[in-house]
Amino acid sequence: MAADLTTTFTGIRFPNPFLLSSAPPTESESNILRAFEAGWGGVVTKTIGLHPVVNVAGPKTKFLRSNPSGGLSMNKGREGVLHSSWNWELISDKPLDWWAPRLGRIKKAFPDRVLIASIMAGSGSDKELANWQALARACQDEGADGLELNLSCPHMDREDMGSNIGKDQKLCSRVTQVVKEVSKIPVWSKLTPSTTDIAMEAGAVFAGGGDAVVSSNTFPSLPLIDPETLEFEMNVDGLVSSGGLGGPAILPQSLAKMAQMTRAFPEKSFSGIGGISDFSQALNFILLGCGTVQVCTAAMLDHAVGPNVIRRLISGMTEFLDKNSHRGWRQLEDFRGLSREKVVGHSHIRRPEDSDYHGGYEAYEGYAEPAEKR
């Protein structure tokens, strides 16, 4: 039978499981329409808020590359191999009144594609929590298929916004619950990787009624310092603040965070992000249990919305399913989570047969005495 790229995730039917994530590529109506024309199964809008946003006076995103000598730089050797992206861009600087009619027009133009509205508000008061509900109502009324709660932006000054919510289990649960109270469409919560055990925050989201967890957002980081000028490679008036690291460099870290969550909640829904540019990387997230995957950096470098990236993803998945048709695999659900249980605690990895290892503890501390040899 022919490969089937359609999938159902949190009750939403996708023509394929590949989404353009909430980022600069999804900041405008024209970009989102181009993304759907290119073949993306879904798009998550640039995060919509109620508070006014003004970005820094200078570049908001740059790409770190390695040069032939092994050095890393954002400003030298642009033909080098991509290492990562770095940004300190805030959420959309367009107001809700700007976004609302455009969401409606996009859905009318592409009714068979999935449009997820990313939203963000504060959490420090009942008024701020009500803002989440106002955003949710406005977006669903215009036809959005789902909501993605931004609990993960890594460069927010406010203590009750962005990743500062995503690091707090109580706030993760509360914000998700508040949105679920008014939402008629699925609610996903996007978490920050900047936490000790992300499974704890994922559990809080699900306790609040969340339909899915999305991870990882970019990792908090700083740009490198140029050894000649002694200036940060990205700065305004010589100053810099923490920004977000994305792209190929974060793929292994994002996979580790995802494995923590999917092993803790194997029956729940997850959308994976971090370093994906072709199907071999997307496959990692699917094998760990993700039902959809999202792409940002690779798309930004490919005509802003990734027409070649989505083409590679679709052809890669089709080829993978055809190659494994003898296993009876014809759609994502046939192999999703296949590798999840292979991620175990360090002490569960086999040692040489003659070793006597107790996970770093003395034998009498929680370990059974070895059986006597006969």
Side-chain angles (χ1 to χ4, degrees), residues 79-321:
E79 299 304 315
V81 177
L82 179 67
H83 173 276
S84 56
S85 61
W86 190 89
N87 86 88
W88 53 358
E89 183 169 348
L90 299 174
I91 67 173
S92 176
D93 55 7
K94 305 293 195 304
L96 177 60
D97 288 346
W98 184 93
W99 273 104
R102 286 165 174 79
L103 295 178
R105 290 201 295 263
I106 292 167
K107 276 305 297 181
K108 288 178 181 177
F110 286 92
D112 63 332
R113 301 300 172 91
V114 178
L115 181 63
I116 305 295
S118 173
I119 60 176
M120 185 170 77
S123 58
S125 67
D126 289 343
K127 179 181 178 181
E128 290 288 347
L129 291 172
N131 286 341
W132 285 98
Q133 295 183 329
L135 289 163
R137 288 192 182 97
C139 293
Q140 70 183 8
D141 288 349
E142 291 294 338
D145 298 290
L147 301 168
E148 184 179 274
L149 314 185
N150 186 337
L151 312 182
S152 54
C153 182
H155 30 261
M156 300 300 296
D157 286 338
R158 284 184 49 170
E159 294 182 357
D160 67 332
M161 296 185 84
S163 61
N164 293 322
I165 296 179
K167 298 173 187 177
D168 187 312
Q169 294 172 45
K170 290 182 179 179
L171 289 179
C172 284
S173 185
R174 181 61 180 143
V175 168
T176 305
Q177 181 183 25
V178 162
V179 175
K180 285 292 291 184
E181 287 174 358
V182 301
S183 178
K184 301 174 183 176
I185 53 180
V187 175
W188 309 352
S189 292
K190 186 174 182 180
L191 294 180
T192 174
S194 183
T195 182
T196 302
D197 185 355
I198 196 171
M200 301 294 287
E201 285 74 31
V205 166
F206 293 130
D211 297 286
V213 164
V214 181
S215 182
S216 287
N217 202 326
T218 52
F219 284 70
S221 58
L222 288 175
L224 299 179
I225 298 173
D226 187 316
E228 297 177 7
T229 65
L230 301 185
E231 296 283 356
F232 286 99
E233 287 196 313
M234 196 162 173
N235 70 80
V236 174
D237 303 326
L239 302 178
V240 71
S241 65
S242 177
L245 189 76
I250 72 168
L251 175 61
Q253 293 171 288
S254 297
L255 291 172
K257 293 291 184 179
M258 184 54 67
Q260 283 182 288
M261 295 186 292
T262 59
R263 280 186 50 78
F265 303 99
E267 302 304 317
K268 297 294 186 179
S269 297
F270 295 90
S271 186
I273 312 176
I276 298 169
S277 62
D278 61 31
F279 182 70
S280 65
Q281 291 130 17
L283 179 61
N284 281 261
F285 285 97
I286 297 170
L287 290 173
L288 288 175
C290 290
T292 59
V293 295
Q294 302 186 24
V295 179
C296 175
T297 296
M300 292 176 71
L301 290 169
D302 176 26
H303 303 278
V305 297
N308 295 303
V309 175
I310 184 57
R311 200 154 37 239
R312 289 197 302 267
L313 287 167
I314 289 174
S315 64
M317 184 168 179
T318 301
E319 291 169 9
F320 177 81
L321 288 169

